[in-house]
Structures are given as C-alpha cells and as structure tokens.
Amino acid sequence: MAPISANRDEFDEIPTVVGIFSAFGLVFTVSLFAWICCQRKSSKSNKTPPYKFVHVLKGVDIYPENLNSKKKFGADDKSEAKSKSVMPKNSLHLDLEKRDLNGNFPKTTPKIQGSPDLENLTPKHFAEREKDSISPESLKSNTSLSSEEKQDKLGTLFFSLEYNFEKKAFVVNIKEARGLPAMDEQSMTSDPYIKMTILPEKKHKVKTRVLRKTLDPAFDETFTFYGIPYSQVQDLILHFMILSFDRFSRDDIIGEVLIPLEGIELFDGRMLMNREIIKRNVRKSSGRGELLISLCYQSTTNTLTVVVLKARHLPKADVSGLSDPYVKVNLYHAKKRISKKKTHVKKCTPNAVFNELFVFDIPCEGLEDISIEFLVLDSDRGSRNEIIGRLTLGASAEGTSGEHWKEICEYPRRQIAKWHMLCDG
C-alpha cells in the first residue's frame, strides 16, 4: 500500500508545478509586451512629426517620397546649405521643417547680396541715396493710385445690343465683367451675377446665373425681348445691377450701369459696348411728398377707421425713374406695435390714388396712448423696398399731425381728412 500512496502524491504535485510555470510564463510575456510598447512609443516621439497640412501647388510635387535625400527631414545643416547654394534662383525650394503649427510656410524677405560697400552704409546714407534716385515725377506716379481710388474702381461690364427687325425683338447679350471687387473678405473673391431691367416701365426684368468665386465672370447670356417696336427703343434705358450672391444674408450690391438708348442706332447689326461699373446712386430729394389721410374714431365700438386716400409729389426713389409706391400702416399702443396693414402697389406714379380703408380695434378707452404710423415705400422685386417717407399721428405729434389727432378725439364718429407732409424715413 505504501508505493501506491507515494505515486498518488507525485501525481498530485504535477498540476501544481505546471500552474506555477504557466503563471511565470504569463508574467514574463506581459512584461515583455509592455517593454516593447514603451520602446515603440519612445522611438515615435524622437522621429519628426508626420505630414499634416500639405499645400498642393500646380505643377509642383512636394510630397516627401518625391523629394531627394537633401530635402528630407533627416538632412543635416551642411547638406541643406550645399543644396541651397546649388539650386538655381528661379527654382522653387520648400523648407518643410520651417512650417508653422498650421502647416503654412512663413513669408521670407529675400536678402540683397551686393558689394562690401553696401554693408558699411548707415541708414542715413541709404535714405539719402533713395532720395537722390527717386524723382518727383515717379513719386507722383506712385501716389496717383491711392487706396480710395482703387476702392472706387468697381470693374467694367461688357455687353452687346442688337435689334431683330423680322421678329421685332430687342436682344441684349451680357458677355462678361472684369476687375470686380472682392465682396467676401475671407476668400477674397465674389459670387457675381447681374440683374437687368428695362426702364422706365420696369416690365422686363431678367438676371444671369451666379458664377462662383471669380472676379472676372464670363456670363455670355443672351436675353430677347419681343414686342418692342424699333421706334420705342430710343426711349428705353437699360439698368444693369451687379451683385454678389450671399447664402447666409442679403446679397451684396457691387454697383450698377445705366445705359440710355437715345442716339444709339442698331441698323447695322450687333453693337459691342462696355461701361465702367459705378456705385449705386440712390436719389433722395429734400421733399418727401404728401399723403392724404382720413381718420374716424368710434367711441362706442372703440375702433379707429383709417382711410389712405392719395399721395402726391413723391420723389424718385432710385435711378429707375418713377416709384412704385404703397403704404404700410402700423398701430402702436404705449410704443408697442399691436397691428399692421398695407395697401396695394401703384405702378410707376408719383401721384398715387389708393382709396383703401382699414379698421383697427383699440385695446383701451380713448386715444391717449395710441399712435399710428404711415410708411410710404417703393416696391422693388429686385432688392429691398426703400422707404420714401414717413408720417406719425398721435397725441405727442406736432404741427398738422397733432391738430388732426386732436380733432378726431374732440369730434368722434366724424370722418376728418387732411394732407400731411412726409418726413425722411
């Protein structure tokens, strides 16, 4: 029985020994793996950083695998100095180690190499030499183009005019624009397009497509207007509005071109023309015109009846000639707008007849805290509607406006009409 028990003890010790050896092996493997990872991380930190921002220049390949051994990251200072001396003047050298954190190359000013006498010159001597070398004529030529004059130059518009006698059609071809200013300060470019209107009736309005990121857009778009007799072409005016498209806000107005067709003969076929683009000129006269208003306060129903009757002597709101006026009526209670109405648009007239009635509910008794505002605007589908004049009636109003308001308060249920002068908007 003794030999059998000894063999059993030996068999019981074998799994224990195997477990111990496997544990030691596992610990050794983990420690070896951790040591290898640490070595890799330290070797990576010593290497040069990888390529992050690569600027692709047209016709030039600047990726590291295409650079020779003298331009790679591991080159020493001596090899760089030799390569700089060997390189020709006109060749493009990209020092990849001198980039900033954003991956851009810093601007470097070229050093002037000359005779040793230049090194001995003081700044005073250098300034004296510059004064002697620069003549007054060259100074005038250099200062002739100031920054203000450059800003005033808005480019040139190229177009052609033609009349088709068979179809009785007037044809306008917008070819291109050159030298437009940059309306986007970030990209230093524009997204231009052109709106064209035939004046004075403003019946025909067209526009070109938007060309992205260019200051010299080539549109080459033809617009044909049918039903215009040749005898009436002389009375027309072409109005070109050059704009820059903006996705997030109102489009920027670059400028405009106004072409009166009086004296232009189109018998000989197509006529090529070009004009300088000028700033948009909004004509505003001192007189804003007059507005005829009728008011009636109903104390029993606590309502205010407003009738917009007529407008006269309205000024020209822009270069397009006659205005397309309409009136917005805003009701205020304690300087807070509580209601608004507007009339229909009257086309091409300085003396508009509206005859439109509006009834407003008054939220309080009496008209002490009530005021009413009239805005006469010029309707323009192509751009923002501009205010021609403004009129405010209320207890705090002065002149004829105050007198009119006082009369409707003293004589309720009576319709009282008066002319009022419009003020600047």
Side-chain angles (χ1 to χ4, degrees):
M1 295 296 290
I4 294 173
S5 61
N7 292 333
R8 286 181 178 177
D9 294 336
E10 290 177 1
F11 282 115
D12 293 338
E13 291 176 357
I14 289 173
T16 307
V17 173
V18 172
I20 293 171
F21 275 107
S22 61
F24 276 110
L26 181 62
V27 171
F28 176 76
T29 304
V30 171
S31 59
L32 181 63
F33 179 74
W35 180 78
I36 292 172
C37 290
C38 292
Q39 290 294 326
R40 286 184 179 178
K41 187 176 290 186
S42 61
S43 62
K44 281 186 178 181
S45 61
N46 293 330
K47 288 183 181 179
T48 54
Y51 237 51
K52 286 188 177 180
F53 298 95
V54 178
H55 295 267
V56 180
L57 304 179
K58 189 175 182 180
V60 180
D61 208 344
I62 62 174
Y63 288 92
E65 55 267 24
N66 295 323
L67 298 173
N68 55 25
S69 60
K70 292 181 180 180
K71 297 178 186 175
K72 286 184 180 179
F73 293 107
D76 55 355
D77 296 335
K78 293 182 181 180
S79 62
E80 287 180 359
K82 288 180 182 179
S83 63
K84 286 179 182 178
S85 61
V86 173
M87 287 178 62
K89 293 181 180 179
N90 296 329
S91 63
L92 177 64
H93 175 67
L94 298 172
D95 196 347
L96 300 173
E97 292 183 351
K98 292 185 178 182
R99 296 177 301 160
D100 56 13
L101 296 176
N102 294 327
N104 299 321
F105 297 96
K107 295 181 179 179
T108 57
T109 55
K111 295 182 180 180
I112 301 173
Q113 296 180 356
S115 61
D117 297 336
L118 291 174
E119 298 177 357
N120 299 327
L121 286 175
T122 61
K124 292 183 179 179
H125 291 106
F126 195 74
E128 289 176 1
R129 284 196 177 186
E130 280 189 344
K131 287 180 181 179
D132 295 338
S133 61
I134 298 175
S135 62
E137 294 178 359
S138 62
L139 283 172
K140 287 181 181 179
S141 62
N142 290 333
T143 57
S144 60
L145 290 176
S146 62
S147 59
E148 293 181 358
E149 289 178 352
K150 288 182 180 179
Q151 289 179 358
D152 291 341
K153 290 188 175 181
L154 303 177
T156 308
L157 178 65
F158 295 84
F159 58 96
S160 67
L161 305 178
E162 185 181 2
Y163 190 82
N164 191 326
F165 289 92
E166 295 181 358
K167 299 180 180 179
K168 293 184 180 180
F170 179 60
V171 183
V172 180
N173 177 260
I174 302 176
K175 294 188 173 298
E176 60 179 344
R178 296 178 190 170
L180 299 180
M183 305 305 291
D184 190 347
E185 296 179 355
Q186 295 181 351
S187 62
M188 293 306 296
T189 185
S190 299
D191 298 331
Y193 69 98
I194 297 177
K195 288 183 178 181
M196 192 194 77
T197 308
I198 297 181
L199 306 178
E201 295 182 354
K202 295 196 290 186
K203 289 182 179 179
H204 304 285
K205 292 186 178 183
V206 294
K207 67 178 180 178
T208 66
R209 66 191 187 280
V210 178
L211 296 183
R212 302 285 183 179
K213 296 182 179 180
T214 177
L215 301 180
D216 302 306
F219 299 102
D220 196 16
E221 296 190 32
T222 302
F223 301 98
T224 304
F225 303 95
Y226 295 93
I228 299 179
Y230 184 76
S231 59
Q232 296 181 6
V233 172
Q234 299 285 326
D235 301 330
L236 302 180
I237 300 173
L238 299 183
H239 180 228
F240 299 92
M241 183 77 72
I242 298 89
L243 304 100
S244 178
F245 175 77
D246 193 338
R247 176 185 290 181
F248 303 105
S249 62
R250 188 179 296 275
D251 295 348
D252 299 316
I253 298 175
I254 297 175
E256 65 181 0
V257 174
L258 204 64
I259 307 294
L261 298 182
E262 185 179 359
I264 297 178
E265 300 292 340
L266 301 176
F267 287 108
D268 299 332
R270 180 176 298 179
M271 178 180 291
L272 300 177
M273 304 179 70
N274 65 83
R275 290 291 187 275
E276 293 292 326
I277 301 171
I278 60 174
K279 285 185 178 180
R280 189 184 183 195
N281 182 23
V282 178
R283 298 179 182 176
K284 288 189 175 181
S285 60
S286 57
R288 299 284 88 198
E290 298 177 81
L291 192 65
L292 180 59
I293 299 296
S294 177
L295 301 177
C296 179
Y297 174 57
Q298 297 285 347
S299 56
T300 54
T301 57
N302 211 28
T303 58
L304 180 64
T305 303
V306 179
V307 183
V308 181
L309 296 170
K310 297 179 182 180
R312 65 186 180 188
H313 309 315
L314 298 179
K316 298 177 181 179
D318 51 30
V319 294
S320 60
L322 299 176
S323 304
D324 298 334
Y326 70 98
V327 181
K328 287 180 68 174
V329 185
N330 298 319
L331 184 71
Y332 289 88
H333 174 243
K335 297 183 180 181
K336 181 180 179 182
R337 189 173 69 177
I338 57 176
S339 183
K340 60 181 180 179
K341 307 283 185 180
K342 69 176 181 179
T343 67
H344 293 88
V345 178
K346 302 299 178 179
K347 292 289 184 180
C348 302
T349 176
N351 303 307
V353 179
F354 299 102
N355 286 332
E356 297 191 34
L357 182 145
F358 308 105
V359 178
F360 295 96
D361 293 326
I362 305 301
C364 59
E365 293 184 3
L367 300 176
E368 295 179 358
D369 296 329
I370 299 297
S371 62
I372 190 164
E373 179 188 49
F374 300 89
L375 293 176
V376 182
L377 299 101
D378 178 31
S379 177
D380 192 348
R381 291 183 299 173
S383 60
R384 184 179 180 181
N385 297 338
E386 296 182 0
I387 298 176
I388 298 175
R390 184 191 304 268
L391 171 65
T392 303
L393 300 179
S396 59
E398 298 179 354
T400 57
S401 302
E403 293 175 2
H404 195 176
W405 195 260
K406 186 178 179 180
E407 287 184 20
I408 65 169
C409 293
E410 292 178 352
Y411 304 100
R413 298 185 300 278
R414 182 185 296 182
Q415 201 81 26
I416 302 174
K418 281 193 176 183
W419 282 99
H420 297 277
M421 296 292 293
L422 297 173
C423 302
D424 291 334

